[in-house]
Amino acid sequence: MRDPYTVLGVPKSVSEKDLKAAYRKLAKAHHPDQNQDDPKAHAKFAEISSAYDFLSDKEKRASYDRGEIDADGNPRFAGFGRGGAGGRAGAGGYSANQGGFSAEDILKEFMSGFGGQPRGGGGRTGAGAGQGWDPFSGSSAGGFQGRAQSFGGEDINATATVTLEQAHQGGSVPLRMPSGKVLNVKLPDKVEDGQQIRLKGQGSPSPMGGPPGDAIVTVKFERHKQFRRDGPDLRVDVPITLYEAVLGGKVRVPTLDGSAELNLPASVNTTKALRLKGKGLHGAGDLYVTLKIVLPESSDPDLESLMRFWRDQKPYKVRDN
C-alpha cells in the first residue's frame, strides 16, 4: 500500500477527528455505487478504506510513524550498515539502501542460500555447519526458525455483499473466500456500507512457518428492488387507487421489519412524501413513502364520464402554464 497519509491527503499530525472526516469525504466521493461507470472506483475505494483502517489503529499508526513497520504492516529492518572498517558492506555482502530492507525480504534472501546458509557463507565450518543459520544472531537452526516463525502470512481482501434486511437485522452472512473456503461473517452492530471487518488468522498462510495473515472484509450493500437509501433514511414508492387518494384510508407499506400501516388523509397530495419515523436503516433514519396513483388497467365509462364532468364543471390548476 502507498503511504496512508498520502492516500487520505492528510498530514502526519492529523487528529483522529480530522482523519475520520477526511476518510468519510473520500469514501463518499469514490464509493463504487456513486461511480458505476468507473472500473477503477472499487480499487480506489478499497485503498482509501485500507489506509483509514491502518491509521485508525493507534498502535499501528505509532509504529509506522516511528519507522518500525511499513504501510502494509510488515516490520522494517534497517539492513546491515555501510559503516565499519573500510566502509565494508555487512554480512553476506549486503548493504542497506536508503529506505532499508524489510526483515522478511532479508530472511527470504538468506533462505535461498544453499543448505539454509547465507550467500557467501560456503566456507563456514564447525558446529552448526549445514544447519539453518540466523543472520541476526549468528546462531544455528533453532534460532533462525524462531525468527522466521515471527513473520506471518499476508492479509487478503474480500467483499461481503449483504442485503439491506441483513444489514438492518444483523447476524451472520456466508462469505466464500478466494481460497474457496466458506466463512460465516458476523456483521457489526449497525454496520455501514463500505465498513471493513478484520478476520484474524483467515488470510494467507506464512511461507516461513509463522502465523497466517488476516482477512480484510469490505461490506457492500446490495441494491434493493424497493428501497432507495439516502444515508440512514429510506425511500419507497407505494401505489394507491384514485379513490384512496380522494377519500383517504389505510394502506400497508413495506419496511425493513416487515410492513406497517399508513393512514392516508382525504385528498392526499401525492407530490409530497409521507414520513414513517424511525423506520429507516438501523432505526436511526426514517422511511419516506411516495404515493403513486394507479388507474384501472381497463377503461371505465363511469370514471371517464365523472372526469369529463370535473374537467368541464370543476376545473383546477396544477401547473403554471
Side-chain angles (χ1 to χ4, degrees):
M1 186 172 70
R2 295 190 296 141
D3 173 43
Y5 291 106
T6 301
V7 173
L8 296 176
V10 296
K12 284 191 175 182
S13 58
V14 66
S15 65
E16 291 184 22
K17 180 180 178 181
D18 291 340
L19 179 67
K20 182 179 291 187
Y23 163 68
R24 287 181 173 175
K25 181 178 179 180
L26 289 173
K28 183 177 181 180
H30 296 282
H31 196 284
D33 285 350
Q34 306 298 325
N35 301 273
Q36 296 184 7
D37 296 330
D38 184 359
K40 298 181 179 179
H42 184 79
K44 181 66 176 176
F45 180 77
E47 183 183 40
I48 292 168
S49 299
S50 295
Y52 176 71
D53 182 59
F54 184 89
L55 292 180
S56 61
D57 186 317
K58 293 182 179 179
E59 293 184 4
K60 280 189 177 181
R61 180 178 176 181
S63 296
Y64 179 75
D65 290 346
R66 291 193 298 267
E68 297 171 354
I69 60 175
D70 61 18
D72 290 314
N74 296 320
R76 289 186 184 274
F77 183 70
F80 299 101
R82 294 183 181 272
R88 182 174 59 85
Y94 290 92
S95 58
N97 58 21
Q98 186 174 2
F101 298 103
S102 72
E104 185 174 0
D105 290 339
I106 293 176
L107 284 174
K108 286 181 179 178
E109 190 67 27
F110 274 103
M111 287 181 68
S112 66
F114 296 101
Q117 297 181 16
R119 294 183 178 179
R124 181 177 174 83
T125 59
Q131 301 179 23
W133 182 75
D134 183 355
F136 294 93
S137 65
S139 61
S140 61
F144 175 76
Q145 292 172 359
R147 294 278 187 176
Q149 289 177 359
S150 67
F151 296 99
E154 293 183 355
D155 293 345
I156 61 174
N157 295 309
T159 300
T161 302
V162 302
T163 65
L164 286 181
E165 286 85 357
Q166 289 172 324
H168 179 72
Q169 297 165 8
S172 299
V173 295
L175 173 65
R176 183 175 295 277
M177 304 299 291
S179 64
K181 181 180 180 180
V182 178
L183 301 176
N184 282 324
V185 180
K186 180 172 175 53
L187 299 176
D189 186 37
K190 297 184 178 180
V191 63
E192 294 292 341
D193 189 26
Q195 185 172 343
Q196 291 190 323
I197 306 169
R198 180 179 292 273
L199 303 180
K200 292 288 186 181
Q202 297 298 333
S204 299
S206 170
M208 304 168 69
D214 300 336
I216 311 300
V217 180
T218 301
V219 177
K220 179 177 174 58
F221 286 178
E222 189 178 82
R223 188 182 297 274
H224 203 278
K225 63 180 181 181
Q226 287 182 299
F227 300 112
R228 303 181 298 278
R229 280 199 317 119
D230 185 6
D233 295 330
L234 298 176
R235 296 184 180 276
V236 66
D237 296 334
V238 174
I240 60 172
T241 62
L242 178 61
Y243 51 81
E244 284 174 325
V246 175
L247 303 176
K250 298 177 184 289
V251 296
R252 304 293 299 182
V253 299
T255 74
L256 290 178
D257 297 309
S259 64
E261 193 172 73
L262 179 65
N263 289 317
L264 298 182
S267 300
V268 63
N269 192 338
T270 58
T271 61
K272 184 177 181 181
L274 301 181
R275 183 178 70 159
L276 286 176
K277 190 174 182 180
K279 291 297 183 179
L281 186 62
H282 305 315
D286 302 327
L287 175 64
Y288 290 88
V289 180
T290 299
L291 303 174
K292 303 288 186 180
I293 296 177
V294 179
L295 298 177
E297 292 185 1
S298 58
S299 60
D300 186 312
D302 292 336
L303 179 60
E304 293 174 359
S305 176
L306 176 60
M307 292 301 102
R308 280 193 291 268
F309 172 79
W310 267 72
R311 181 193 63 191
D312 299 336
Q313 302 298 324
K314 297 185 177 183
Y316 64 100
K317 295 184 64 176
V318 294
R319 297 178 296 276
D320 293 334
N321 53 3

